């Protein structure tokens, strides 16, 4: 029987115990005890590996004794040659990252606050930045009540002339606005933006160097006393997706992309990768639950960023789909702390420059209308006629707009020139398009993929028209009309033009 019972230790603890054992017979006894007890495959593997290490050390020791018999005390030329060849092999290896290891979290790391990267364009905050600040304010107010804490919402700004926007970030719900100004940052640049935001999150600390084994330095920021943010929100825009993935990688954490729902609560986990012990359940506290549409179908997935027994993943981060949350009404009398971030930006971070560019037209904004008429693949039999019917139906309402499903945009239907301008990506509704929530949403020829559902399921009244009675969209529609849009839309248009159907009647029938 072993001098110690391996079953009394987790796999992580067992590794430390095994390193102190040099006697092969004691290790053999430990292996037998594990097989008779919990019989964990990971634990048995660790013991077996330690047995092999001790055996190898014993064999190496015999060779050392032989070498010491040489009065000169020098190693043989063969040994020198083998060592040199090994070094050359390492230097010449094409697999330069073969020994790379994760940068482990700080021992007893201290994490606080919810950070929000506030994207700007043309000197203004994007709407999604205001929406994330509102949601962050809601989450942290509840968090502080639940945990008797005083953690904050921290808005992050990078660009040119950011101080005035920092005040606006506070007005929309932040307790602190940290900003970095540089006239070279007027437009988004991958390298400097990533380095700046990561440095802000570390508080000026230097990260550990996995290649040399050197430890990092302590944070130097005066306005905070923690190592890294607890949570970090980014916008799921083109630039936001780019920045979020790279920044979270720099901070050695994970990212849940394109989320549309967030809440914080405890979670009971039994996964041995997270608990360190098969069959053991551990309650993780203060977990940010990040909901996103599931690519596999008509469902949502909830992503959790949880620690391992020997590693912490912070910040818990995600990118947020624009339009998922409501912005708060700004309070410009609200008090908050403004922090200017300082970091020397090397010239080689700006090796690529764009001296000239054209700004695209404002585009089509489908939000804020009383009615949105959306067309899907059902127009495929006659795309031009389908677009014409959609336009006529929009014109029959006082305040309506025409939208499209992703299927129409990606199908590249051949349409006649007079409606060609309506078949553009900017009219796309869904996860990768616009998010709308009008009083009335009419979906014609749309099956109801979850990616489209994300873009419109907050609409007050949803009317779906489809030839397939089993279409997914039926499950989340208030009214479902089984029929061909080429037959149904003309009748709707005629009724509206004749005054037989109005928005008031639709709202009354919904009540």
């Amino acid at each position: 029987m072993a001098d110690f019972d391996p079953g009394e230790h987790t796999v992580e603890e067992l590794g430390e115990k095994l390193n102190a054992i040099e006697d092969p017979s004691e290790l053999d006894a430990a292996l037998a005890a594990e097989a008779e007890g919990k019989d964990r495959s990971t634990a048995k593997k660790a013991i077996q590996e330690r047995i092999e290490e001790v055996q190898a050390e014993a064999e190496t020791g015999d060779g050392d004794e032989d070498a010491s018999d040489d009065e000169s005390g020098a190693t043989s030329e063969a040994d020198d040659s083998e060592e040199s060849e090994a070094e050359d092999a390492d230097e010449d290896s094409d697999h330069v990252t073969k020994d790379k290891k994760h940068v482990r979290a700080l021992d007893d790391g201290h994490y606080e606050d919810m950070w929000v990267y506030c994207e700007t364009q043309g000197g203004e905050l994007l709407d999604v930045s205001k929406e994330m600040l509102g949601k962050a304010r809601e989450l942290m107010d509840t968090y502080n009540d639940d945990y008797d804490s005083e953690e904050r919402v921290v808005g992050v700004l990078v660009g040119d002339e950011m101080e005035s926007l920092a005040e606006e970030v506070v007005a929309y719900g932040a307790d602190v606005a940290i900003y970095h100004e540089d006239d070279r940052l007027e437009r988004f640049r991958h390298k400097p933006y990533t380095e700046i935001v990561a440095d802000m999150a570390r508080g000026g600390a230097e990260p550990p160097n996995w290649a040399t084994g050197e430890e990092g330095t302590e944070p130097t920021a005066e306005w905070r006393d923690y190592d890294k943010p607890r949570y970090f929100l980014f916008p799921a825009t083109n630039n936001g997706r780019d920045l979020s993935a790279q920044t979270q990688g720099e901070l050695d954490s994970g990212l849940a992309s394109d989320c549309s729902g967030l809440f914080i609560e405890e979670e009971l986990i039994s996964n041995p990768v997270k608990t360190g012990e098969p069959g053991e359940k551990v309650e993780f506290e203060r977990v940010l639950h990040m909901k996103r549409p599931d690519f596999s179908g008509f469902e949502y997935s909830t992503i959790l960023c949880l620690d391992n027994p020997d590693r912490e993943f912070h910040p818990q981060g995600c990118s947020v789909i624009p339009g998922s949350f409501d912005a708060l009404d700004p309070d410009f009398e609200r008090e908050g702390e403004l922090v200017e971030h300082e970091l020397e930006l090397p010239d080689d971070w700006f090796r690529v420059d764009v001296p000239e560019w054209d700004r695209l037209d404002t585009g089509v904004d489908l939000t804020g209308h009383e009615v949105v008429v959306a067309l899907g693949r059902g127009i495929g039999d006659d795309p031009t006629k389908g677009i014409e019917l959609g336009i006529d139906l929009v014109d029959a309402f006082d305040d309506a707009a025409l939208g499209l499903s992703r299927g129409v945009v990606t199908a590249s239907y051949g349409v006649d020139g007079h409606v060609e301008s309506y078949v553009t990506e900017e009219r796309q509704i869904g996860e990768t398009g616009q998010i709308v929530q009008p009083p009335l949403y009419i979906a014609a020829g749309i099956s109801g993929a979850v990616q489209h559902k994300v873009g419109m399921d907050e609409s007050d009244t949803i009317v779906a028209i489809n030839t397939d009675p089993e279409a997914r969209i039926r499950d989340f529609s208030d009214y479902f009309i089984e029929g061909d849009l080429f037959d149904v839309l003309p009748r709707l248009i005629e009724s509206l033009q004749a005054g037989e159907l109005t928005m008031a009647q639709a709202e009354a029938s919904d009540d």
Side-chain angles (χ1 to χ4, degrees):
M1 186 68 178
D3 291 343
F4 75 98
D5 182 1
E8 295 179 353
H9 305 279
T10 66
V11 173
E12 298 295 333
E13 295 170 345
L14 191 58
E16 298 179 4
K17 295 290 184 181
L18 293 173
N19 288 334
I21 300 176
E22 303 291 341
D23 185 353
S25 62
E26 187 174 351
L27 290 168
D28 287 337
L31 185 59
E34 176 63 31
E36 294 175 358
K38 292 187 175 182
D39 196 22
R40 299 165 294 183
S41 59
T42 306
K44 288 193 295 184
K45 181 179 179 182
I47 298 172
Q48 185 62 50
E49 288 177 349
R50 180 55 182 159
I51 291 174
E52 294 172 358
E53 287 178 4
V54 170
Q55 291 174 343
E57 290 170 1
E59 294 172 1
T60 303
D62 292 340
D64 289 342
E65 290 176 4
D66 293 338
S68 66
D69 290 338
D70 182 23
E71 292 181 357
S72 68
T75 58
S76 67
E77 292 181 3
D79 291 339
D80 288 341
S81 176
E82 290 174 0
E83 183 177 349
S84 176
E85 290 176 1
E87 291 176 353
D88 291 342
D90 285 341
E91 292 176 358
D92 296 337
S93 174
D94 293 331
H95 304 288
V96 295
T97 61
K98 62 185 177 67
D99 294 325
K100 182 174 180 179
K101 294 180 173 58
H102 287 293
V103 180
R104 298 300 180 184
L106 300 168
D107 291 337
D108 299 320
H110 181 195
Y111 310 106
E112 288 186 15
D113 295 346
M114 176 171 283
W115 286 40
V116 179
Y117 174 71
C118 300
E119 186 174 349
T120 65
Q121 190 174 76
E124 298 181 356
L125 286 176
L126 293 185
D127 287 344
V128 65
S129 300
K130 301 172 185 178
E131 294 160 7
M132 290 190 300
L133 288 169
K135 186 61 178 180
R137 179 74 274 150
E138 173 194 327
L139 288 170
M140 294 312 290
D141 285 346
T142 303
Y143 174 99
N144 289 330
D145 289 340
D146 291 345
Y147 296 104
D148 192 23
S149 301
E150 295 182 355
E151 297 193 24
R152 301 165 294 183
V153 174
V154 179
V156 176
L157 290 160
V158 179
D160 182 28
E161 299 182 1
M162 291 288 105
E163 185 173 3
S164 60
L165 288 181
E167 297 175 353
E168 189 173 350
V169 164
V170 171
Y172 276 98
D175 300 298
V176 180
I178 179 171
Y179 63 96
H180 190 107
E181 292 183 322
D182 191 306
D183 56 10
R184 295 173 294 177
L185 301 172
E186 180 182 2
R187 299 175 66 249
F188 177 79
R189 293 169 175 262
H190 174 86
K191 177 65 173 179
Y193 270 62
T194 298
E195 295 289 352
I196 291 167
V197 175
D199 186 74
M200 287 176 171
R202 295 189 191 104
E206 289 294 329
N209 189 324
W210 63 265
T212 64
E214 296 178 359
E215 296 184 358
T217 62
E218 294 295 322
T220 57
E222 297 180 356
W223 63 275
R224 49 177 272 194
D225 60 357
Y226 52 85
D227 299 309
K228 288 191 290 187
R230 187 184 299 279
Y231 314 112
F232 211 142
L233 309 185
F234 298 84
T237 59
N238 289 337
N239 292 339
R241 289 187 176 103
D242 182 328
L243 181 67
S244 59
Q246 187 67 19
T247 299
Q248 287 294 100
E250 287 291 323
L251 298 176
D252 199 39
S253 190
L255 177 76
S257 59
D258 297 341
C259 295
S260 58
L262 300 172
F263 60 95
I264 299 170
E265 66 179 30
E266 287 68 33
E267 190 69 34
L268 193 64
I269 300 295
S270 59
N271 187 335
V273 174
K274 299 299 179 184
T275 65
E277 190 72 59
E280 181 178 340
K281 292 185 178 181
V282 174
E283 185 173 68
F284 288 78
E285 294 187 344
R286 311 176 192 223
V287 179
L288 181 62
H289 291 61
M290 300 167 281
K291 297 181 63 177
R292 70 176 312 282
D294 192 334
F295 289 121
S296 65
F298 201 53
E299 300 291 341
Y300 283 82
S301 294
T302 299
I303 312 299
L304 309 179
C305 188
L306 302 176
D307 298 336
N308 284 356
D310 62 343
R311 183 181 181 205
E312 294 178 312
F313 292 90
H314 286 85
Q316 298 177 26
C318 69
S319 60
V320 175
I321 298 174
S324 298
F325 307 117
D326 294 328
L328 298 176
D329 293 331
D331 178 5
F332 291 97
E333 301 299 320
R334 194 170 182 277
E335 295 184 359
E337 184 175 0
L338 306 186
V339 179
E340 183 172 7
H341 177 259
E342 296 182 1
L343 178 68
E344 184 177 348
L345 309 184
D347 290 338
D348 63 1
W349 288 2
F350 299 89
R351 288 177 293 179
V352 177
D353 193 16
V354 182
E356 297 181 8
W357 65 88
D358 291 327
R359 189 179 299 277
L360 296 175
D361 294 336
T362 304
V364 177
D365 185 1
L366 301 179
T367 62
H369 294 279
E370 289 290 315
V371 182
V372 172
V373 176
L375 302 176
R377 290 181 182 272
I379 68 171
D381 291 342
D382 190 346
T384 297
K385 181 63 175 178
I387 298 296
E388 289 175 341
L389 288 173
I391 296 171
D392 289 344
L393 183 56
V394 166
D395 291 342
F397 289 102
D398 292 331
D399 179 22
L402 180 70
L404 305 171
S405 73
R406 185 173 184 271
V408 174
V409 174
T410 58
S412 300
Y413 290 124
V415 296
D416 293 346
H418 66 288
V419 297
E420 187 175 2
S421 62
Y422 288 89
V423 188
T424 59
E425 186 176 356
E426 61 188 357
R427 290 186 181 274
Q428 181 176 321
I429 296 171
E431 181 182 9
T432 54
Q434 297 194 46
I435 309 293
V436 298
Q437 42 188 344
L440 177 60
Y441 186 87
I442 300 175
I446 295 176
S447 63
V450 67
Q451 290 83 1
H452 184 79
K453 180 176 184 290
V454 170
M456 44 68 73
D457 66 345
E458 294 299 321
S459 303
D460 292 344
T461 301
I462 300 172
V463 178
I465 303 165
N466 204 292
T467 56
D468 181 7
E470 303 298 325
R472 291 174 174 174
I473 199 168
R474 182 170 189 164
D475 294 337
F476 56 92
S477 296
D478 297 288
Y479 299 95
F480 182 83
I481 301 174
E482 183 181 345
D484 191 321
L485 67 87
F486 291 100
D487 297 327
V488 176
L489 292 189
R491 295 174 63 184
L492 284 177
I493 295 167
E494 183 179 348
S495 296
L496 286 165
Q497 292 175 341
E500 297 172 357
L501 181 64
T502 65
M503 275 293 295
Q505 288 174 322
E507 292 173 0
S509 63
D510 188 43
D511 294 337

